[in-house]
Every structure is written in C-alpha cells, then in structure tokens.
Amino acid sequence: MPTIVSVDDSTVPGEGSSRLLLLVSSDNKHIVVEEDIMSRSRFISKQVEGFEATSQRHAILLPFSSFVLNKVIEYCSHYRGYYLLEDDPDAAPPGRSPVREWDQEFLDVDRNMLLRIIKAAHYLEIKSLVGSCARAIADMIRGKTTEEMREILGVENDFTPEEEHSPSSKCTG
Amino acid sequence: MDDFVVATVKPGLNATAQVVAQPPIARLPVEILSNIFSYLPFEDSDKDKWYATDGLPGWLAVTHVCRYWRSVAHGCHNLWAYIPLDNLEWTRIALERSKSSSIIILAPDHFKCESEDGSGYYIDAEAFLLACKSMNRAVDFRWWSVCLVHNDYFRLQRILDELLDSPVPFRLQSFDISVLADDRRIIEIPETLFGNQPLPNLSDVTFAGPLSIKTSLLSRTPSLTSLHLSEVEVDAWRTTAGVVETLRGLPLLQKLSLEGCLPYTDGVSPTEVILPHLTTLRIVDNILAASMIVPILFAPMCANLCLGFFLEADGMTELDTHAMLIHVLLGLFPPALLATNSYHTVAIPASQNDDDGLTRTIFSQTPYLAGPSKLPNEFSLYLTYSNDIEEYHDGDDNTVHHLFVDVIRHLPVRGVRELRVANYIFEHAFNWTALLNICTYVTHLTVSGTAVSGALFQGMLDPSDHDSYTLLALSSRVPHPMPLTDLSTITLERTDFTERRGPFSPLRDSMMMQTIWILTVARKNGCYPPFRLVLSNCIISPDQFKKLRAYMGDESMVCIVDG
C-alpha cells in the first residue's frame, strides 16, 4: 500500500484554480501535478477528499516508478476536462467502444511498459486507461497459440503433462 | 516543490521493492486479467484472429496457458458471451460458462467448415438450435454470409421456426442476417419472426441477401436507430405509400442504408417523412432510390439541418448521382458533408442526353425544390472527401459532358460566402474554375489537402506574360459578373507545394497557383480588393515561398506553422 503523508499547509499557491498535488514515485521522484489532472483517478480523488477538512497539503506515495507515473500523468493531462464514459462511476458499464486513436499511439510501447501502465492504472482506479491497456494486450495475444501467448507475456506453463494432453482438457479448457 | 514536506512515512512501505518485483502477467490481479480476457473474443475488425493457429477458439486457448489463467477465464463470463455455432461442444461450453449474462450469437462468414457437398459454409444446425434455446439472453444476433445450397433453404426455415417458439421476451439489441445463395432464390423472412413480440430494445437491424421481409416486422421495432437493407425486397415498397409508411414507423432512425433495394415508384408523389434524427443516408447500387427516397427524406429534413449529415452515393447511374448532387448542393443541406467515393460512368439514355433537359427532368421530379428563393442568403459550402465527377458521354458517344459543371451551373449557390474544399481531387481544371465562377460572392476560400490537375490555360499563352495572361483569362474565361470580387481571405491548409499535383505546385498547370496569380495581378490592376493569403501546415520550398511572397506582398500573407 502506498503511504499518504500529510504536509504542513505551506504557501504554495496553485496555478489557476486547481490545487497542486505531490506524487512521490517508488524511485523517490517528486512530481507536482494539478489536482484537476489527476481527478480522473478515483483513488487519488478519494484520498484528496479524505483530507479536505484538514486544510493540509498532501503528498501521495505510489508504488510505481516515475517513468510509469509520468505516462499516467500524460494520459490524464491529455483527457483533462474530457468526459469519458468508462470513468463515470454513475454510468452504466460501457459496451465495446471504438478504440480511441490517441490511446493507440499512446500505448504503442513495449510489453513490459504496457503491463506496468495497466497495473498503475488499476491501482489508481482509472478505468478508461485500464480498458485501453487491456484491449491493447488482448490484441497482442488474440489469434495466438497457447505457447505463443506464454512467450509473449512470459507466463509459465504449470500444467502437468497429463493435464495438458488430456482429451477433455484439450476440448473444453 | 519544497513546500511539500514529507512529514512521515509509514513503516513497512517498500514501494521500490514492489516495482522491482513486478509480477509477470500470470500474477496480474484477477480484475485486470478478466478485463483483458473480455476483449479477446471476436471483433468485427479482426475476423481472421477468431481462431488461434492451433485450431482452438481464442477464448478457449487462454484456458490452456496456465492454471491461473484457466481459473480466471472460467470466471470471466464476458469471455464466453460470444456463442459460436460451428461446433456443438464449443457452443455448449460457451452457453454454460456465460452463466446468465447476456450473449451474442454469431456465425461469422469465415467459418472453415464446408457443407456436405463441399460448397459454401454452413453452421452446425444442432449448435444453432441449442443456442436458440438461450435466445432470451441474446443481445446481439449475427448470422453472416450463410451460404445456402440446395436443401439448406429448408434448414434456414427450420431455424427461423425455432426462433418463433421462444416464450421469453427478447433482449435483442442487434439483429443481423446475411445470406448468400447460389441461385438467388428469395427466402421469405416470416412476418412472425420473434413470435410477433414487440422488440423494444432492438436498435440495429441488417438484412442482407435474397430475402423478402414483411413491413410488419419492421413496424414492431420502433426503437430502431440503424437499418441496413442489402439486396432485400421489402413487400410494401412496391408503392410510394408503402415506402412512406415504413419510414414513418421508424421515427428514431439515425442511419439508413439501402444497397440494391429497389423501392418501386408508382407515379404517386411521395408524402413527406420526418426523420429528425437521421444523420446518415447511404444509397448504393440503387437506380431508383435517388428519385424515390431522396425527395421523401430531404425536404422535410431541411428544417433539421445537421452538420454531420453524411450522404453516400455510389454505384448509381449518372442520373441518380446528378439528382442527389443537385439536392445536396442546392443548399438544402448547406453544411452537408458530401461523400461520394466513386462514380461509375454510365451512358445516359438517349432520351435524356440533353443536359438541360436532364436537369429539368430532375427538377420536375423533386417537387420540394422551390428554387433559389428558398435558399438562405449566406451559407457555407463544403466539398469533402470526394473525387471529381467523371465526365460522361451522351447516348451517341459524341459529346463529353462535365457532370460537375452541369450540376453546379444550375445551382443557386451564388450566396455562398464561405467555400471550403477539403480532400478533393479535381481531375479537370475546368471544374475548379467553374466552381469559383459560380461562387461569385465568396469571401473566405479555404483549400485543404486538395489537388487540381489539368491545364486550363496550358498552351494558350505565355504564363510569364502577366498582362496578356491576365487579360485573356479575365476576358475570355471569367464570366460576368467576375467571380470572387468579395474575396478577403484564401487559406491553404495541408498543402505540399513541392508535390507535382499539389494545388500550388510550381508547375504551370497548377490551378490554385493560377487562381492566386490571376487574382493578384488583377488586384494590382485595380480589379479586385486586396485579400489575405493564409498558409497553414504547408510544405513549401524557400524559392516557392519567396515567389509567393513577391506576388502577395508581406503584409497580406500570413503563415501558420503547426507541426
């Protein structure tokens, strides 16, 4: 779990009307970001709400690197002010929406980075980003054999030879 | 930054260690893995990847990767929501594991199973019948390119009969049946499809193939927003009133696509139909549609002009194309996006080969057109994503008509104040000039990603002789009144000046170049008021830029550089 640390209410004025948040990555990089930008993250929103009454500024320690965190911030910055159905907690779960073009380019990263982003997005509860990453990963493995899926995503085959070759397993999974 | 002071850090947090020890995907949280799996099944754009190369359906293959994946996959109901119909065992598994969640029944057209006589595809009838028992859970039914051979007609009928027996109200939102048949024998979709139940959720319907449908079937789908009919006979469409009646029953329609569906005309003037939500009208390979459907729909929709209205006409005769263009360009849809991907050159019947007569005929067939008086005084005209209209020949193959010119010269578009031409290829330079001549009072001309080829003045005079060139151009080619006298701004966007076919190519046959050149010279001669030239996202060589600046003068040229 990350630690949210309270800091004194010092005198850092937020730019414009948006307050500033301090996000601390696992590699101890301090990233200041406007609260508005990160409001797409339900996790961050909930944490900030929890401290509203205290009139203190907050630093939020996150369990992923600054490189990943910056990617997430880039995503949130791009969609700042945009309404995305997936991120609306009151909306019904969306069906299969078309892939957003910008997301496709944004997620054109290597496999490891993609996995880190989806985990970060899941942690921060940014459903739209989780969905886009999940779709990208699904695209990587769709149409591949089981062996290819293992290779692509580094998964170990833990079936026993008997389990793997049993006729019933082969047919029905 | 310094103002954020980290006061305390709770013990036990070792975030760095957590990142270093990134778990492999096998240990991704269940929620994430389920989310990934839910995207695995069939997607329209990815038909070929439906089956993994080892022959297992994609959704079944993930259960063979490792134990963790298998356990997650078994609990991921969405993964099993797509019910295949070519293998009874897989159908059974998918139905079982999807539990009570909504399902999608589909028989995609790439199934590899061959029918008994080796021709065409077929679905496993038993699997289909099994799936039909869960039709009450179906939200989407897709049955594409089912090739029917010989006795398969009876199979289809049996399957349709099965559908009728479901006692539970349908949840269907999308129904799509596409049939191919060798001998084009028409299959009648029974009026009682879905057991005469109203279909309150059905929003998207496709019927394609040699099918005959009863209008009453559509009348039970008042929530329909998208209707696509391809090579389908609609029983009531043998009369004008039938067409009107059908469309009236679909007030929420947003997309209407007709491919080769011939509404008959009985000589009765169509009554207006108001489809206030219609944003897309697609008419393909349909000879009579333009004179039948278009007048019915267009006039009443004038009151509901929609910026995003999309009209596609393809594979029709020039007559239809002509009629549709007139309707659109007349200003009934001033901001309409006219998307005409290709035109086929078809000889106009001899009786209609006189272009004036042809136009008069079309006007007489469109009673809603009241002529220029109905048009607003000022509006914008957009030509987007289109190719130039091919020339066509009359019945004797003697005269070449330029359809574009034929159309626009009849248009009362002289009130156009803003003309934007985007992604448009003018194959005939004359058409470009004709367009400008028509749009006499344009104040803002924007050309984006548009090319003009051909040579209007080529060989007629020496382009370096400005005075004679301009004089001749203005006197012989520009009709009265002179066009573009109110022009204040020309904007060139996304134009590669270094390309040969670019609208401002350095070659002599560049029409945009000539247009600007003529106007510039004319302006210097006092014929035209000064105008601004705006370049946005253009590629231009230093020499071209210098030349252009010399023409325009520094003060009237604005460059917007972006990217």
Side-chain angles (χ1 to χ4, degrees), chain B residues 117-154:
Chain B
D117 64 354
S119 60
Y121 306 114
Y122 89 123
I123 58 173
D124 186 309
E126 298 308 316
F128 188 90
L129 294 177
L130 183 64
C132 282
K133 289 178 180 162
S134 299
M135 273 299 282
N136 60 315
R137 286 202 280 139
V139 291
D140 192 353
F141 180 95
R142 302 183 213 168
W143 193 9
W144 296 324
S145 302
V146 181
C147 184
L148 298 171
V149 290
H150 309 301
N151 293 334
D152 279 358
Y153 285 111
F154 302 106

Side-chain angles (χ1 to χ4, degrees), chain A residues 26 63-72 106-107 109-124 126 129-130 133 137 140 153, chain B residues 15-25 28-29 32 36:
Chain A
S26 61
F64 33 84
S65 70
S66 56
F67 193 54
V68 174
L69 181 54
N70 276 321
K71 283 292 280 185
V72 175
F106 174 73
L107 295 174
V109 294
D110 66 47
R111 179 198 68 184
N112 287 333
M113 188 64 188
L114 192 56
L115 295 177
R116 287 185 174 124
I117 292 173
I118 195 173
K119 280 190 278 190
H122 177 68
Y123 187 92
L124 292 170
I126 306 174
L129 182 55
V130 171
C133 291
I137 295 170
M140 287 165 60
L153 294 172
Chain B
T16 306
Q18 286 182 24
V19 172
V20 171
Q22 286 279 356
I25 193 169
L28 279 174
I32 294 183
I36 294 169

Side-chain angles (χ1 to χ4, degrees), chain B residues 315-364:
Chain B
M316 300 191 304
T317 66
E318 298 288 4
L319 175 64
D320 302 311
T321 306
H322 201 150
M324 294 185 74
L325 281 174
I326 284 179
H327 277 89
V328 174
L329 295 181
L330 265 175
L332 294 176
F333 293 95
L337 298 177
L338 175 61
T340 48
N341 294 324
S342 65
Y343 288 86
H344 301 299
T345 302
V346 178
I348 302 291
S351 61
Q352 294 174 319
N353 64 10
D354 167 63
D355 59 347
D356 282 331
L358 174 63
T359 306
R360 276 199 300 273
T361 303
I362 292 168
F363 270 85
S364 69

